[in-house]
Amino acid sequence: EIAEVTGVQTCALPIWTRQAEAVFRAGVEKTASTCNIKLLKMKALLALQMLIDSPPENPFDFVFIDADKTEQIQYYELLMANPQVFAPNSGPTCTMVVDNTLWYSRVLRQTGDPSDMCTAAVKDFTAHVKKDPRCFVSMLPLRDGMTVIQKA
C-alpha cells in the first residue's frame, strides 16, 4: 500500500526555504516507491483552506504543525472542524503534534516582553486545547516542547 503524505512549506526565509526544500526532496526520492508525497508551498491557512475546499481522498490521521505561532488556534480549529481533512483513517484516533509549545521556556515565565506576540500566542494555544473536550492533550518537554493532541 502506498502512503499519502502532504507537506506544507510556509517559511518565508529564502535561504532556509532552499535548504528545507532540498532535504524534503531528498526524502521524497528515498520514499518514492512507498509514498505519494505532495508539497504545497503557501501560507498554512491557505493550504488548510485548499484542503478543506478540495479534500484528500483519505483524511489525514496525523498532522504535524510547526508554523506561525499566532495562527495555531486557527490551524487547530480548522482541522478539528473538518473531518474530511483530519479524521481517523484506520484506527480509533487521529493525532496532531504541535512543535515549540514551550517556546524557549518563555511560556513558563510570569512576565515577559508585552510585544512578544509569539509567546502570548503559544500560551493562548495551550490554554485553548487544554480546555477543549474534543481532545486529549499531552505536552512532551523535548527540546522546545511538543504538544500531542488526540481527538477524543
Side-chain angles (χ1 to χ4, degrees), residues 31-42:
T31 61
S33 64
T34 59
C35 292
N36 179 12
I37 299 175
K38 178 169 55 172
L39 174 63
L40 305 175
K41 292 173 66 172
M42 61 182 62

Side-chain angles (χ1 to χ4, degrees), residues 78-114:
L78 282 170
L79 289 164
M80 293 297 279
N82 289 282
Q84 75 275 22
V85 175
F86 180 57
N89 247 355
S90 56
T93 62
C94 41
T95 303
M96 187 183 313
V97 175
V98 182
D99 201 12
N100 308 117
T101 52
L102 288 177
W103 198 241
Y104 311 105
S105 76
R106 291 181 195 148
V107 297
L108 304 174
R109 298 178 190 152
Q110 293 299 318
T111 60
D113 179 356

Side-chain angles (χ1 to χ4, degrees), residues 6-131:
T6 300
V8 177
Q9 182 178 343
T10 63
C11 185
L13 302 173
I15 294 171
W16 188 88
T17 300
R18 285 192 298 271
Q19 292 171 343
E21 189 168 340
V23 170
F24 176 85
R25 298 225 181 267
V28 168
E29 287 178 24
K30 290 180 182 178
T31 61
S33 64
T34 59
C35 292
N36 179 12
I37 299 175
K38 178 169 55 172
L39 174 63
L40 305 175
K41 292 173 66 172
M42 61 182 62
K43 289 247 184 218
L45 285 175
L46 291 174
L48 281 172
Q49 193 58 57
M50 187 182 88
L51 291 167
I52 290 164
D53 294 343
S54 181
E57 187 175 321
N58 296 307
F60 301 112
D61 54 10
F62 180 82
V63 173
F64 182 83
I65 298 174
D66 183 12
D68 185 344
K69 306 307 175 213
T70 63
E71 296 179 344
Q72 283 181 327
I73 292 174
Q74 291 170 280
Y75 308 145
Y76 172 80
E77 286 300 332
L78 282 170
L79 289 164
M80 293 297 279
N82 289 282
Q84 75 275 22
V85 175
F86 180 57
N89 247 355
S90 56
T93 62
C94 41
T95 303
M96 187 183 313
V97 175
V98 182
D99 201 12
N100 308 117
T101 52
L102 288 177
W103 198 241
Y104 311 105
S105 76
R106 291 181 195 148
V107 297
L108 304 174
R109 298 178 190 152
Q110 293 299 318
T111 60
D113 179 356
S115 67
D116 182 359
M117 293 174 27
C118 288
T119 299
V122 171
K123 285 181 174 183
D124 291 346
F125 173 78
T126 301
H128 184 79
V129 298
K130 182 179 173 184
K131 67 180 181 185

